[in-house]
Amino acid sequence: MADNYTQISREWWVEQWLGLLDSYRFKKRLERARVYAREGNVRSIEFQGQKVFARVQGTEVEPYQVSIWLDAFSDEEWQYAIETMSEKAIYSAKLLAGEMPANIEKVFTANGLSLFPFKLDDVRSKCSCPDKANPCKHIGAVYYLLADRFGEDPFVLFQLRGRTKEQILETLRQMRSRGTEKQKSGGETQIPKLQYPLKVEHFWQYDEPLESSLVVIVPPPSSETVLDVLGTIPLANDATENADAKTTASETVMKYLNTVYQAVSQQAIVSAMKVGE
């Protein structure tokens, strides 16, 4: 068996599972576990409900019995999680295609759950070997083979939380189907009739006073004015008669427009401040 556990390219959910193993501080034990997994010491591995049962060949004649499981979600918790999945088409589409959505964890955290274990201690395990350490190399070997299973079928992780692939997909289909039927039964959207007919000439007219709390006066995000954006007006570049000889007609006009712009801005602020008085 090739050592797939040091490859760079892996599915993100496999990467997350292996990252959980790499957080284990006894690195030598993990190395021995990888050797066991790579050399085929795991004789069998099967799922029974939410638990994983495996037989791992050690130094004894008979293989050791290993069991691994996670805390399962309740029926109510799964109902909430799958309802959240059904609300977004991307989740349903990915899962129905046998893929794990990249942000699937958000579905569970939104319902106060966590699909992935936070730490290795959250993974329950037991081995019949005499080694009191947990995880021992036999349990570790099964951990690594589970990573392979996750890569082949991401629904294995859901199964460890108490729901099989078939159960999740069937519930998703039912919820999506009910949502579609509800939309159809609603019929066409009725456009409400206006109490008064619209008149084009009154479109910009509003006779009611504005609520003063709705008026918020804030400084502009930039000190740059419309005149600054437009730049110098291209007028005749001759000196004016009543100004300094170095002042062009364009500069004189721009200076005047700046004065007008400031006056209008101040008047607008004053008018806004009087709203509701």
Side-chain angles (χ1 to χ4, degrees):
M1 179 189 294
D3 189 354
N4 297 323
Y5 314 113
T6 56
Q7 292 179 358
I8 297 176
S9 178
R10 289 186 294 247
E11 294 85 353
W12 69 266
W13 56 91
V14 176
E15 191 79 43
Q16 190 156 339
W17 177 261
L18 292 176
L20 193 68
L21 301 184
D22 291 340
S23 67
Y24 189 54
R25 60 193 181 96
F26 296 105
K27 304 300 181 184
K28 290 292 184 182
R29 187 168 294 158
L30 286 181
E31 289 177 10
R32 290 195 294 270
R34 277 197 295 268
V35 171
Y36 266 46
R38 185 170 59 246
E39 295 184 350
N41 285 51
V42 180
R43 301 303 188 193
S44 65
I45 181 170
E46 62 180 17
F47 287 86
Q48 294 181 18
Q50 72 185 69
K51 286 190 174 184
V52 178
F53 293 92
R55 296 168 61 249
V56 183
Q57 186 64 58
T59 54
E60 299 294 327
V61 176
E62 289 296 321
Y64 295 116
Q65 306 296 319
V66 173
S67 57
I68 296 174
W69 68 98
L70 299 177
D71 291 336
F73 300 145
S74 67
D75 291 341
E76 185 180 22
E77 288 171 334
W78 266 114
Q79 184 71 13
Y80 286 136
I82 298 177
E83 280 180 2
T84 305
M85 292 180 202
S86 68
E87 290 170 0
K88 289 192 176 182
I90 186 63
Y91 292 133
S92 300
K94 287 280 189 181
L95 291 171
L96 290 171
E99 299 178 27
M100 180 79 81
N103 53 352
I104 189 67
E105 184 67 16
K106 290 183 179 180
V107 170
F108 292 89
T109 55
N111 293 283
L113 305 169
S114 177
L115 178 61
F116 288 90
F118 285 114
K119 54 187 184 299
L120 201 56
D121 290 342
D122 294 335
V123 183
R124 317 299 183 188
S125 56
K126 186 186 297 184
C127 182
S128 61
C129 75
D131 192 348
K132 294 182 179 180
N134 193 332
C136 61
K137 56 181 175 290
H138 314 104
I139 293 174
V142 180
Y143 280 165
Y144 283 112
L145 285 187
L146 277 178
D148 289 342
R149 292 293 182 95
F150 292 156
E152 297 167 1
D153 183 4
F155 285 90
V156 169
L157 190 57
F158 292 125
Q159 186 168 345
L160 289 175
R161 288 298 192 185
R163 280 293 183 277
T164 64
K165 175 180 181 178
E166 291 73 21
Q167 288 174 319
I168 292 174
L169 295 184
E170 180 59 29
T171 307
L172 266 178
R173 289 190 187 98
Q174 291 176 0
M175 289 184 175
R176 296 287 295 176
S177 177
R178 285 200 298 267
T180 303
E181 290 174 0
K182 187 176 181 181
Q183 289 178 353
K184 289 181 179 178
S185 63
E188 295 183 0
T189 303
Q190 298 294 323
I191 301 175
K193 293 183 179 180
L194 295 173
Q195 187 175 1
Y196 304 104
L198 286 176
K199 294 183 179 180
V200 177
E201 60 270 21
H202 296 156
F203 185 79
W204 296 107
Q205 184 177 342
Y206 188 77
D207 298 326
E208 298 296 326
L210 289 175
E211 171 62 41
S212 59
S213 62
L214 298 178
V215 180
V216 180
I217 302 173
V218 295
S222 171
S223 60
E224 193 175 44
T225 67
V226 175
L227 298 175
D228 296 323
V229 175
L230 293 175
T232 304
I233 299 176
L235 298 177
N237 196 23
D238 56 336
T240 60
E241 297 179 359
N242 301 323
D244 187 91
K246 295 182 180 179
T247 303
T248 64
S250 297
E251 291 172 343
T252 302
V253 172
M254 288 297 291
K255 187 180 295 184
Y256 171 74
L257 290 177
N258 268 312
T259 303
V260 173
Y261 188 91
Q262 292 174 6
V264 171
S265 298
Q266 292 174 0
Q267 185 59 44
I269 294 175
V270 172
S271 299
M273 294 293 290
K274 290 181 179 180
V275 172
E277 291 184 356

